[in-house]
Amino acid sequence: MNKRNRILLVLLIFMFLMQGCSSETDGEKTIRIAEQYGIAYAPVQVMKEMKYIEEELEGATVVWEQLANTAAIREAMIAGELDVGFMAIPPFLIGWDKGMDWKIATGLSYVPVGLVAKEEIPSLEGIGSEHRIALPQPGSVQHILLSMASKREFGDPKRFDDRLVTLSHPDGVQALFSGSEVSAHFTSTPYLEQELDQEGFHLILDGKEAFGQEFSFIIGATTADFHEEDPEAYQAFVKGIQKSVDYINEKPREAAALLTKYYDMDEDTIYGYLTDPEAEFSTTAKGMKRFGDFMLESEYIEKMYGSVEEILWEGTLYEE
Amino acid sequence: MKNKKPLVKKWMWGLLLLVAWEIFARFGGASPLAFPSLVDIGKALAESIISGDIVQQTAFSLGMILWGLFLALVLALALSTLSIINGSMDALSDTLVSIFHPLPGIALLPLVILWFGTGSKAVIIIIVHSVVWPLLLNLKSGFKSVPLIYQKIGKNYEYSLGKRMRRIYIPASLPFGLSGLKIGWARAWRAAISAEMIFGATGGKGGIGWYIFNKRVFMDTPGLFAGLVVIILIGMLVEDVFFSQVENRTVKKWGMSQ
């Protein structure tokens, strides 16, 4: 084989490999789900591991896509590359407000979420213009919870909007510990517990307190295309999530053992998070109205739903 | 005249692309969330200019870029000057370039956060890193291309090092220096925007990268494009106006390049 042929062969191999990376859309009954990590997404991992969707629907293929963040998930859903995405209620509402054709199919979880600050900052008031608050991104549930607390205490929801730094959870932990100008971090399990275990850091705002009632931290949403064109697959997905949530609630030991594969933590630690009295795994979606009303009033979105059916697929359990 | 024609052609192509965009946005059946029409983009741009957001944020980004470019220029000049007078310094700067030139600034970001935090300082460090290595490479090959006879003239006149740099090396290698600065400018612009999109606001309102990032997370696609338009316009202005003026007045006037 001469040099040119060899190069051609290598190129061909690469092209085949790339082909394998792209999503398989040709076969029927394909469900494309964004894979996400964190204890709040535990039912998603259980569903993947136990193959619950495949169990519900003979011959179904589940394609697990890796995406960087909520904004990327929304963009992939607009592009028709993804059927199901998990996220908090505020990013869902932002997409809905801008005209995305999607609705909530299921609630998923609540895990402890809160604002951790250095000890020299006693309360929200102590966060001055020289300080920075790390959170996953503007428009995230963490950002909206911060705005809610800020509105209640100072009458101004956008007081902290100029003091935000967008960092993923692990980067945020690093930035808080490194002694930089990042002096507070809005985060959730397990990063929240990791930070609170360290000397010199304390919780200055609890998510549930900021919100004022129980809410779903994560929900699952699907595109209208998926819901309408493949009702069987949709049902299989909804049942799969229900089974996963039940599994975690009924057999937390086994679930924790299963999850050690995904997280760099031992079984007991994961078991502790799954059974934390604060945490809740449930398919009932909660808190949409309060989030929506607040976001409309504070101009994070421009319209609000009249009846809840506008944002929920039929059969989705909810509490307002 | 000879100079104007390519510019006219360039703008004509730009206009054609815009028309194609508008036709696709209106009749292509794509979601307006993915492909907003020019009217929507124009509206979003006008709103941002009137509210002053985009102006302040662009100024902030430009300020950081100029700082980064200045620091990188000083560093690159110092290193390349040292390389002229000392062979082992020459080897050192070669080693530095081969270590750091291929490293994207964004790959260094986690380290920069750990060492310098997330403020403007960190963004400027990323900019300096993106600019200094290509600039150093260009300056060094420029200095190496200076004809030996020029260098000997400098020695004959017993010029000091500073004078040799000012009178001989820098003017004689200016085309290299300028193209290094052009590359540096483009890379600084990119580095600032990508760093901001990851770091977030660095002081007060943040820069243009932060503007785009905010538009993205709130799904304001026309606003996102408005940010891109500003970046493109500034890029073209600097390329077609600033750099071409400098070239006309120096290397072209001196007959060093066409």
Side-chain angles (χ1 to χ4, degrees):
Chain A
M1 210 189 282
N2 67 27
K3 206 171 172 185
R4 198 198 296 164
N5 282 349
R6 244 181 286 167
I7 292 173
L8 266 176
L9 185 74
V10 171
L11 277 178
L12 272 175
I13 291 172
F14 267 109
M15 280 162 71
F16 272 111
L17 288 175
M18 299 286 285
Q19 200 59 35
C21 297
S22 70
S23 54
E24 297 138 48
T25 45
D26 37 327
E28 271 181 63
K29 294 182 190 167
T30 300
I31 306 176
R32 294 157 308 171
I33 304 178
E35 188 163 7
Q36 282 163 286
Y37 295 97
I39 296 298
Y41 299 96
V44 182
Q45 269 97 53
V46 169
M47 183 166 73
K48 180 179 179 187
E49 215 37 40
M50 303 293 281
K51 298 196 180 304
Y52 280 142
I53 293 183
E54 290 90 332
E55 200 177 283
E56 285 296 323
L57 187 63
E58 193 89 3
T61 330
V62 183
V63 180
W64 297 92
E65 306 274 7
Q66 302 270 4
L67 289 162
N69 53 38
T70 313
I73 291 173
R74 269 192 319 226
E75 284 151 8
M77 288 174 88
I78 293 175
E81 294 284 317
L82 203 60
D83 301 313
V84 180
F86 293 95
M87 66 198 65
I89 294 171
F92 166 81
L93 287 174
I94 288 170
W96 176 82
D97 172 50
K98 296 287 177 188
M100 268 182 81
D101 204 359
W102 66 347
K103 290 186 187 182
I104 296 175
T106 178
L108 195 73
S109 59
Y110 178 84
V111 295
V113 50
L115 185 60
V116 180
K118 291 178 181 164
E119 217 127 62
E120 62 259 32
I121 297 175
S123 67
L124 272 185
E125 187 144 29
I127 300 176
S129 55
E130 72 279 16
H131 296 122
R132 291 290 174 267
I133 305 168
L135 44 74
Q137 56 186 255
S140 63
V141 59
Q142 289 84 358
H143 175 214
I144 299 300
L145 289 172
L146 180 66
S147 298
M148 283 176 147
S150 159
K151 179 158 186 236
R152 193 172 315 135
E153 282 193 36
F154 313 105
D156 174 15
K158 306 204 173 178
R159 174 185 167 106
F160 297 109
D161 281 10
D162 284 348
R163 300 172 202 173
L164 306 180
V165 180
T166 297
L167 291 172
S168 68
H169 291 289
D171 286 348
V173 176
Q174 276 188 0
L176 186 68
F177 288 168
S178 75
S180 62
E181 68 279 21
V182 172
S183 29
H185 183 207
F186 215 125
T187 190
S188 53
T189 302
Y191 307 99
L192 184 77
E193 287 82 353
Q194 268 174 31
E195 289 176 353
L196 293 176
D197 278 348
Q198 291 280 323
E199 193 81 16
F201 297 94
H202 67 145
L203 190 73
I204 59 170
L205 180 68
D206 173 74
K208 220 173 246 177
E209 259 170 48
F211 193 71
Q213 67 172 71
E214 288 201 344
F215 64 98
S216 296
F217 182 62
I218 302 294
I219 50 99
T222 79
T223 58
D225 280 348
F226 174 66
H227 175 260
E228 270 130 44
E229 280 165 24
D230 208 344
E232 274 189 344
Y234 174 82
Q235 285 307 328
F237 162 70
V238 171
K239 281 185 195 148
I241 283 291
Q242 183 65 56
K243 273 190 177 173
S244 312
V245 165
D246 292 344
Y247 187 77
I248 291 175
N249 289 328
E250 285 156 21
K251 297 177 182 162
R253 248 313 142 197
E254 283 91 332
L258 210 67
L259 291 170
T260 51
K261 194 173 143 187
Y262 289 91
Y263 300 99
D264 194 17
M265 294 183 276
D266 58 50
E267 195 186 306
D268 287 335
T269 313
I270 299 178
Y271 177 76
Y273 291 141
L274 292 181
T275 53
D276 185 316
E278 280 282 304
E280 188 195 14
F281 294 92
S282 155
T283 53
T284 306
K286 299 173 195 167
M288 289 78 68
K289 183 150 171 52
R290 184 170 289 213
F291 272 121
D293 286 342
F294 172 79
M295 288 170 74
L296 181 70
E297 194 185 294
S298 310
E299 295 173 343
Y300 290 110
I301 53 176
E302 282 158 17
K303 65 174 198 243
M304 178 57 182
Y305 58 86
S307 87
V308 77
E309 278 88 53
E310 289 174 50
I311 58 155
L312 293 181
W313 295 122
E314 74 292 334
T316 305
L317 303 169
Y318 73 97
E319 262 171 40
E320 279 301 4
Chain B
M1 246 350 253
K2 209 182 142 203
N3 212 3
K4 278 221 168 106
K5 263 195 174 161
L7 212 60
V8 172
K9 275 187 195 157
K10 199 169 163 184
W11 285 99
M12 204 186 67
W13 273 111
L15 203 70
L16 257 169
L17 287 174
L18 287 180
V19 172
W21 176 280
E22 188 64 10
I23 290 174
F24 187 76
R26 293 205 174 199
F27 309 108
S31 155
L33 285 175
F35 251 97
S37 80
L38 293 177
V39 179
D40 289 341
I41 298 174
K43 262 191 219 153
L45 185 58
E47 267 167 36
S48 295
I49 292 174
I50 291 165
S51 73
D53 281 359
I54 210 167
V55 182
Q56 275 182 30
Q57 289 177 320
T58 310
F60 185 81
S61 289
L62 282 173
M64 276 198 307
I65 288 168
L66 290 180
W67 256 113
L69 272 175
F70 172 74
L71 291 175
L73 186 62
V74 170
L75 257 171
L77 270 176
L79 275 169
S80 52
T81 308
L82 284 175
S83 307
I84 294 180
I85 48 180
N86 186 317
S88 55
M89 280 296 159
D90 190 29
L92 171 69
S93 63
D94 276 344
T95 313
L96 288 177
V97 167
S98 37
I99 293 175
F100 290 111
H101 190 38
L103 265 181
I106 295 307
L108 290 178
L109 231 138
L111 268 185
V112 174
I113 294 181
L114 277 178
W115 291 344
F116 305 100
T118 55
S120 314
K121 210 174 18 173
V123 179
I124 290 178
I125 287 166
I126 298 276
I127 296 175
V128 170
H129 163 81
S130 313
V131 177
V132 72
W133 311 116
L135 196 55
L136 180 59
L137 261 177
N138 268 45
L139 285 179
K140 281 182 73 178
S141 32
F143 290 169
K144 278 187 184 140
S145 78
V146 174
L148 203 60
I149 188 143
Y150 291 6
Q151 302 179 21
K152 285 193 172 161
I153 289 171
K155 278 190 186 144
N156 251 358
Y157 276 103
E158 294 184 353
Y159 276 176
S160 64
L161 177 67
K163 221 168 183 179
R164 256 158 65 203
M165 294 305 294
R166 266 200 328 273
R167 291 267 173 92
I168 297 170
Y169 280 99
I170 293 176
S173 66
L174 203 58
F176 287 87
L178 276 179
S179 78
L181 272 180
K182 269 192 194 172
I183 298 172
W185 151 258
R187 293 193 55 171
W189 203 202
R190 289 185 209 183
I193 289 161
S194 6
E196 271 179 7
M197 288 182 72
I198 296 176
F199 281 132
T202 50
K205 290 205 143 190
I208 184 87
W210 179 244
Y211 173 90
I212 294 178
F213 185 75
N214 259 290
K215 297 297 171 193
R216 180 190 180 200
V217 292
F218 285 106
M219 280 199 82
D220 179 357
T221 317
L224 195 154
F225 277 106
L228 296 181
V229 168
V230 169
I231 293 176
I232 294 169
L233 287 179
I234 290 178
M236 287 170 92
L237 234 100
V238 169
E239 174 86 40
D240 288 343
V241 179
F242 177 74
F243 277 114
S244 77
Q245 283 296 326
V246 171
E247 280 178 344
N248 284 341
R249 280 173 200 198
T250 56
V251 291
K252 281 187 186 162
K253 192 170 120 194
W254 303 340
M256 295 173 87
S257 76
Q258 302 201 332

